[in-house]
Amino acid sequence: MNLKNTLKVIGIILVFVILQSYFINPDNLVHIIDKWKNYFMTIIMSIFIAILLEPIVKYLKRKSKINDILAISLSIVFVILIFIILSLIIIPEIISSLKVLNNIYPYVSEKAITTGKSIANFLAEKNIYTINMDEINNYFTNFIANNVTNIRKLVSAIFGSLVDWTIGFTNLFLAFVLAFLILLDEKHLIGTLENIIKIIFGVKNTPYIMKKLSLSKDIFLGYVSGKIIVSTIVGLCVYIVLLITGTPYAALSAILLGIGNMIPYVGSIIGGIIAFFLILLVAPIKTIILLVAITISQLVDGFIVGPKIIGNKVGLNTFWVIVSMIIFGNLFGIVGMFLGAPIMSILKLFYVDLLKKAEQGGGQ
């Protein structure tokens, strides 16, 4: 048995072992995946960062004729500065919004109790339904007390997770360092990868696989960069409409919808719902303006900006996009939901070619 057939047999055995492990003890398998995922996450992040930085590095080298080290360093500094600027804009806005919500919380709870009493009195007067008002007061009192407790627990959890944040930032720093090294030694690393592919798949199949990997990189880069640009434009559309009309939480709503737009279909819906309820608490009538702003932003995304910038880069229908979000979202969280579509599109490249090969083989 040659190496190729041996690898196929090993692959089939591994699939059966994984499926059997899942059905016998799914929680244990998920725990193992999470553990190994954490081991390789920094390396995976560094590869993604290197792919995203590569066009910036090439642009700097082409325009200013600087060396590799300086071009890579400047591209990393540029990206970090963008993140810092966005953080300085976003974080104060979130803190300010939370303070406003905290200040209006007693008013909202009192308004809810008053509205509840009015509805109960109306139902009692019409002999539709009689409600015990003492029970309602107790319910709302307990509800408010429980939510205050939950908020305190949330704040404690945030401060308690400082260690996790520190580890996360450390891993992110290491990912940027590895990305720097990948870009600095890109040709040598690509040559090493090509040699590994030759050993595993043979010299004959190596050009095909390298070509597909290059195409996969283009798909990933085009999708991610396009999504970032489109989502920024969506957020700006929402912000401009809400700012002009004096709608509260304009910046926070724009951030929620812009970031939400990064995740296909469900992201904008979730971001829109959160923004809707935030504005509903302060200025209910302004929710109409929010809905108008969301409609305008989605029209701009769907018919003007989206098709030109992203186009049909992933080549997947709605069903497979949602499936990719479910699978990769469960494996890698929010990042997996965002990257699920391009990853599934890359898998589709190999699927289509394998299907054609199988059909040609069957026809002979």
Side-chain angles (χ1 to χ4, degrees), residues 55-244:
I56 303 174
V57 174
K58 288 182 176 178
Y59 176 81
L60 290 173
K61 288 174 65 178
R62 186 173 64 251
K63 291 293 182 179
S64 53
K65 307 296 183 182
I66 56 180
N67 60 32
D68 290 346
I69 294 176
L70 186 57
I72 298 168
S73 301
L74 288 173
S75 65
I76 291 174
V77 170
F78 173 73
V79 171
I80 292 173
L81 282 175
I82 289 176
F83 275 112
I84 291 172
I85 291 168
L86 288 174
S87 298
L88 291 174
I89 295 171
I90 293 170
I91 292 174
E93 180 65 26
I94 293 173
I95 293 172
S96 175
S97 300
L98 289 174
K99 285 181 180 178
V100 172
L101 286 173
N102 184 61
N103 292 333
I104 68 169
Y105 188 81
Y107 166 77
V108 172
S109 61
E110 184 182 346
K111 190 73 175 176
I113 293 172
T114 305
T115 304
K117 287 180 179 179
S118 301
I119 294 171
N121 292 333
F122 175 79
L123 294 174
E125 289 174 4
K126 300 296 181 181
N127 294 321
I128 297 173
Y129 187 70
T130 303
I131 301 173
N132 189 329
M133 291 308 301
D134 291 332
E135 290 183 3
I136 289 180
N137 288 332
N138 290 333
Y139 171 79
F140 276 108
T141 301
N142 293 332
F143 177 79
I144 292 166
N146 290 335
N147 274 278
V148 170
T149 304
N150 290 334
I151 290 169
R152 287 172 181 168
K153 287 181 179 178
L154 178 63
V155 173
S156 299
I158 290 171
F159 282 105
S161 62
L162 286 175
V163 175
D164 294 333
W165 280 95
T166 303
I167 294 171
F169 278 113
T170 303
N171 288 334
L172 184 61
F173 172 78
L174 291 174
F176 270 101
V177 172
L178 285 174
F180 177 87
L181 296 174
I182 289 170
L183 291 169
L184 190 62
D185 201 20
E186 185 179 359
K187 291 181 180 179
H188 180 261
L189 290 173
I190 290 174
T192 303
L193 175 63
E194 189 172 354
N195 291 333
I196 293 170
I197 292 171
K198 285 178 182 177
I199 294 169
I200 297 174
F201 298 99
V203 177
K204 183 180 178 182
N205 296 319
T206 299
Y208 164 78
I209 296 173
M210 292 300 295
K211 181 180 178 182
K212 289 300 177 186
L213 289 176
S214 177
L215 187 58
S216 300
K217 186 189 77 171
D218 293 339
I219 291 173
F220 173 80
L221 182 62
Y223 178 82
V224 173
S225 58
K227 250 323 186 181
I228 291 172
I229 295 169
V230 170
S231 297
T232 302
I233 294 172
V234 166
L236 284 173
C237 287
V238 173
Y239 180 70
I240 290 168
V241 173
L242 298 185
L243 186 66
I244 291 172

Side-chain angles (χ1 to χ4, degrees), residues 222-238 241 254 256-269 292-314 321 338:
Y223 178 82
V224 173
S225 58
K227 250 323 186 181
I228 291 172
I229 295 169
V230 170
S231 297
T232 302
I233 294 172
V234 166
L236 284 173
C237 287
V238 173
V241 173
L256 288 169
L257 285 157
I259 294 174
N261 195 72
M262 300 284 284
I263 302 171
Y265 305 114
V266 298
S268 295
I269 295 172
V292 171
I294 292 172
T295 303
I296 293 171
S297 67
Q298 292 305 309
L299 287 172
V300 170
D301 178 9
F303 294 100
I304 301 173
V305 180
K308 289 183 178 180
I309 295 177
I310 297 179
N312 191 27
K313 292 188 184 299
V314 294
V321 171
F338 170 54

